[in-house]
Amino acid sequence: MFIHSDDITAYIPQRTPIVMISGILEVDGPKTRTALHIAPDNVFVENGVLMPPGLMENIAQTAAARIGYIAKQENSPVPLGFIGAVNNLEILELPPAGQTIETTTEIGGEVFNATMVTGKVMYDGRVMAQCEMKIFINPLNK
């Protein structure tokens, strides 16, 4: 069940063809869960699987969706964020096109405009990818 799926672009800055989440499943404090139905014609699909750049973008957009969701709840503009660093990236499997993955991010800490996030992509009960990201929020459009 989605918290929001009608127009996910209201919560994230990305636009087609780079939208890598289908909807928000949960925003609970520091934790966010999203789902992505991997369309066979997704820009990051090659040879029938979602490639590593798509998995990383999916994690980043899950983190962005949390920020956008909170901003919308506060009737504030959705701020832009930028990936500053990716650490400990592990790509364990590549999920197949035509299926749905679930991604969870959790905020580890926030200092000024930097947010530390851990992310994990799951499919069929297995971890597909995981990493840590440092995301910077643009304070000028917050």
Side-chain angles (χ1 to χ4, degrees), residues 67-118:
I67 296 164
Y69 180 81
I70 291 168
K72 288 288 187 184
Q73 298 303 304
E74 297 171 349
N75 290 321
S76 300
V78 175
L80 289 177
F82 304 93
I83 299 171
V86 177
N87 296 315
N88 303 318
L89 174 64
E90 292 182 277
I91 305 293
L92 304 167
E93 289 186 60
L94 300 174
Q99 301 302 311
T100 300
I101 57 176
E102 187 175 299
T103 303
T104 303
T105 58
E106 190 157 352
I107 304 300
E110 296 175 296
V111 178
F112 299 110
N113 64 334
T115 302
M116 296 302 299
V117 174
T118 58

Side-chain angles (χ1 to χ4, degrees), residues 34-64:
T34 64
L36 169 67
H37 177 76
I38 307 166
D41 63 350
N42 182 299
V43 69
F44 292 112
V45 168
E46 287 182 23
N47 300 318
V49 294
L50 184 63
M51 299 303 290
L55 291 166
M56 266 188 29
E57 185 62 28
N58 172 257
I59 292 169
Q61 288 185 29
T62 297

Side-chain angles (χ1 to χ4, degrees), residues 8-16 19 60-61 64-65 68 78-81 141:
I8 199 63
T9 60
Y11 296 87
I12 60 173
Q14 292 79 9
R15 297 296 178 257
T16 302
V19 174
Q61 288 185 29
V78 175
L80 289 177
N141 79 339

Side-chain angles (χ1 to χ4, degrees), residues 59 88-92 119-121 127-132:
I59 292 169
N88 303 318
L89 174 64
E90 292 182 277
I91 305 293
L92 304 167
K120 184 183 293 186
V121 180
V127 177
M128 299 286 110
Q130 55 191 6
C131 70
E132 299 166 356

